[in-house]
């Protein structure tokens, strides 16, 4: 039975060939992660809209794709710099179709106690740290409820090859931002690419990172997985910018494990993709930790932008604050599913979730679903969802000051999303994202 | 410059303005006073172009154009400015960006070229100083988190930046302490000049101690029931609106 499924799965067609190439990168023990992932994914196969977690995310478009190996594409520095975020001054790692590009990366002269490099390099220098975390954080095991869908995490594991690794040791702060860029370009062949990022911050460490997914052409499927471990009192800003091509599929999974007093901030910006899906899962395993999940989405044309968040409050006295915004034009479809689990022990949890959408055309759609499961009795959990048009009072105010209607609309739409971009504290990234947003709305 | 003739207006089925006549010439300052619910703010909103009201009769001419036919942004382009009773908060849009968009749109409407960023900053910084506004406020979102007094000062600041020819102040004095009231009045007085008309809408006489009007009109029940000079405002302060009601009753 399994064999038939595998034989028919477009995402596994060239699996053996790919593993031969992938096995060149990284230590031998990566193969265990690959085979485990392969077995787990094979049991599921490509999801359909009958799968609850993919209800609004049709993938039938990829069923007849032959997804070949993506390697071998090169990119000039000029082409990289021409992208919206290509010039940001940062410790930079660049991957082209998943393949590491040393020429376009710059990650030397790092301070003591800070490692930024490839997974393979990391596994040489810090084998135990990588072993303890890679494919260990990205799991639902031991967590409440079973409604999440791990299949693209497993498929990424099955295709494990190159990736980025950030490791900040105890009490170290990396002042310079880190930029991990995954550039994708499909030429004649369509492909699946499995970007990978692992971030480990030890006690009281601090860093800021921008994870960019940039499409430069063609049809492809990108299934990134990011894993983040924050030890006690660590602080991490994780900005994420997704601008795949408008014919690409993007299905990302971010898993965060937080210990006490740590602060995780995710600013998740989605403008690209034919269909893009992002899952952000934070498991909070310590007291007095903070989790801030922010999202800005702009869907135009026939784009589908689907965001699922999940926060597991396992221990008491933690705060989480979530705000996801969507602007939907044309036939754009937005989806938001926000899960918050408050475990029996997690008294005094304070969780606030907000989802707002603006529909700029009668054919745009928003599907929103807060999902709170609370097993403790002394907690504060709120959620709110609004779907609407632009505020009349603000429109009139702008027009009464002389701003023509169309321009006033553009300003208000921009401002709606800019409120989320404002939370990005990597200044150059913020201005770059604002410029891309401006262009996207024009 | 402004000629309101027999203006009637309603909201849904309720008639609020029942035949307003008013002429404002350049250089004049008119005050419209009246009790709550008399139609003062409705008049201000109609002049600015808010579409919550239906004009059923009458006309408004501004610079010899039919004001009621113009969109709100065209009215601003023609030189009309309404200082809002309740200024609106716009998160995500900075004051600077807001004002630059407005000023350049108005300049474009008049066929003038846009100001360069340097020229613009110079212009707004001098006006901010006049209104005693902290310059950090320029990079904050429009009215977001401003106190009541700050919002009103921001309105007059915008007015100073946009340099309209007709300024309509809708209850600008409400919610102001005495210091803010002086700053706001001072700002308005600086803008007074032979080319500019001002229409001050207020419930209380207090503001008129600082912005001294040439004419005072009393609006009651959707009509201007009495007009006079500055002394009328003082009389209202002393006797309340009741004495006018009695006058009207006596005439009837």
């Amino acid at each position: 039975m399994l064999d038939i499924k595998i034989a028919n799965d477009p995402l596994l067609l060239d699996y053996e060939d790919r593993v031969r190439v992938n096995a060149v990168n990284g230590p031998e023990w990566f193969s265990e992660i690959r085979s485990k992932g392969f077995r787990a994914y094979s049991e599921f196969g490509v999801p359909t809209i009958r799968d609850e977690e993919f209800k609004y995310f049709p993938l039938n478009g990829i069923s007849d794709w032959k997804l070949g190996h993506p390697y071998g594409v090169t990119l000039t520095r000029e082409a990289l710099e021409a992208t919206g975020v290509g010039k940001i001054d940062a410790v930079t790692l660049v991957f082209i179709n998943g393949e590491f590009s040393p020429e376009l990366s710059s990650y030397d002269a790092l301070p003591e106690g800070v490692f930024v490099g490839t997974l393979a390099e990391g596994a040489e220098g810090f084998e135990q740290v990588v072993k303890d975390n890679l494919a260990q954080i990205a799991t639902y095991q031991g967590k409440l409820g079973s409604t999440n869908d791990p299949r693209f995490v497993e498929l990424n594991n099955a295709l494990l090859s190159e990736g980025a690794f950030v490791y900040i040791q105890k009490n170290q702060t990396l002042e310079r931002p880190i930029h991990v860029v995954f550039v994708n370009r499909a030429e004649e062949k369509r492909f699946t690419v499995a970007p990978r990022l692992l971030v480990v911050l030890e006690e009281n460490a601090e860093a800021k990172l921008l994870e960019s997914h940039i499409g430069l052409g063609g049809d492809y499927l990108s299934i990134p997985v990011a894993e983040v471990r924050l030890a006690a009192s660590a602080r991490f800003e994780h900005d994420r910018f997704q601008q795949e091509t408008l014919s690409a599929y993007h299905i990302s999974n971010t898993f965060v494990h937080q210990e006490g007093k740590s602060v995780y901030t995710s600013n998740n910006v989605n403008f690209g993709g034919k269909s893009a899906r992002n899952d952000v899962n934070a498991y909070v395993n310590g007291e007095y930790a903070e989790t801030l999940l922010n999202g800005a989405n702009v869907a135009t044309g026939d784009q589908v932008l689907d965001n699922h968040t999940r926060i597991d409050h396992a221990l008491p006295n933690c705060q989480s604050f979530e705000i996801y915004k969507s602007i939907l034009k044309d036939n754009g479809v937005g989806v938001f599913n926000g899960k918050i689990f408050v475990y029996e022990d997690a008294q005094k949890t304070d969780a606030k979730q907000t989802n707002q959408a603006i529909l700029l055309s009668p054919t745009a759609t928003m599907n929103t679903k807060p999902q709170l499961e609370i097993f403790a009795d002394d907690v504060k959990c709120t959620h709110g969802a609004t779907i609407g048009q632009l505020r009349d009072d603000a429109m009139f105010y702008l027009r009464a000051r002389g701003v023509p209607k169309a321009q006033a609309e553009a300003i208000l739409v921009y401002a709606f999303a800019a409120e989320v971009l404002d939370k990005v504290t990597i200044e150059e990234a913020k201005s770059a994202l604002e410029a891309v947003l401006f262009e996207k709305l024009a | 410059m402004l000629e309101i003739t027999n203006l009637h207006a309603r909201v849904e089925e309720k008639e609020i303005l029942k035949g307003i006549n008013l002429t404002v010439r350049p250089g004049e300052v008119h005050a419209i006073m009246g009790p709550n619910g008399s139609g003062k703010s409705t008049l201000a909103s109609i002049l600015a172009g808010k579409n919550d009201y239906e004009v059923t009769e009458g006309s408004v001419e501004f610079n010899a154009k039919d004001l009621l036919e113009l969109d709100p942004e065209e009215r601003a382009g023609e030189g009309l400015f309404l200082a809002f009773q309740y200024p609106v908060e716009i998160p995500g849009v900075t004051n600077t960006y807001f004002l630059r968009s407005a000023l350049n749109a108005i300049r474009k409407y008049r066929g003038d070229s846009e100001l360069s960023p340097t020229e613009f900053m110079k212009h707004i910084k001098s006006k901010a100083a006049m209104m005693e506004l902290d310059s950090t406020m320029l990079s904050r979102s429009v009215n977001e988190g401003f106190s009541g007094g700050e919002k009103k000062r921001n309105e007059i600041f915008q007015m100073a930046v946009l340099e309209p020819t007709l300024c309509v102040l809708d209850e600008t004095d409400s919610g102001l302490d005495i210091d803010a009231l002086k700053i706001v009045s001072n700002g308005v007085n600086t803008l007074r000049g032979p080319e500019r008309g001002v229409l001050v809408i207020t419930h209380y006489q207090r503001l008129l101690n600082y912005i001294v009007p040439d004419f005072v009109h009393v609006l009651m029940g959707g009509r201007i029931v009495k007009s006079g000079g500055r002394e009328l405002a003082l009389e209202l302060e002393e006797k309340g609106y009741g004495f006018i009601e009695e006058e009207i009753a006596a005439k009837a």
Side-chain angles (χ1 to χ4, degrees), chain B residues 69-117:
Chain B
E69 283 300 305
L70 301 178
D71 285 333
E73 56 269 33
E74 293 171 324
R75 300 178 192 205
E78 290 291 333
L80 180 91
F81 182 97
L82 170 67
F84 281 56
Q85 183 178 3
Y86 302 108
V88 179
E89 296 191 10
I90 314 181
V93 180
T94 64
N95 271 301
T96 306
Y97 186 76
F98 175 76
L99 277 173
R100 193 165 64 216
S101 307
L103 185 61
N104 281 332
I106 288 172
R107 290 180 67 88
K108 197 175 162 193
Y109 181 88
R110 294 177 188 160
D112 296 333
S113 63
E114 294 194 351
L115 286 185
S116 75

Side-chain angles (χ1 to χ4, degrees), chain A residues 243 434-442:
Chain A
Q243 197 175 35
E434 283 170 350
V436 180
L437 170 65
F438 197 78
E439 207 172 295
K440 170 92 181 168
L441 291 172

Side-chain angles (χ1 to χ4, degrees), chain A residues 391 393-394 396-407 411-412 414-416 418-419 422 438, chain B residues 49-50 71-73 76 81-82 84 88-93 98 101-102 105-106 143 155 158 162:
Chain A
R391 279 167 48 207
D393 61 343
F396 179 65
Y397 194 59
L398 276 156
R399 294 180 69 192
R401 291 293 172 262
V403 181
K405 188 167 180 245
Q407 194 188 344
I411 289 174
L412 291 178
Y414 176 83
F416 176 77
E419 224 187 329
D422 255 2
F438 197 78
Chain B
K50 200 164 189 181
D71 285 333
E73 56 269 33
F81 182 97
L82 170 67
F84 281 56
V88 179
E89 296 191 10
I90 314 181
V93 180
F98 175 76
S101 307
I106 288 172
N143 292 323
E155 291 294 289
Q158 291 175 22
L162 301 177

Side-chain angles (χ1 to χ4, degrees), chain A residues 11 107 129 145 149 161 169 181 212 254 320 324 365 371 381 401:
Chain A
L11 303 185
Y107 58 114
V129 181
D149 196 315
S161 162
Q169 293 179 12
V181 193
S212 296
T254 300
S320 63
Y324 265 72
T365 327
Q371 198 176 328
C381 288
R401 291 293 172 262

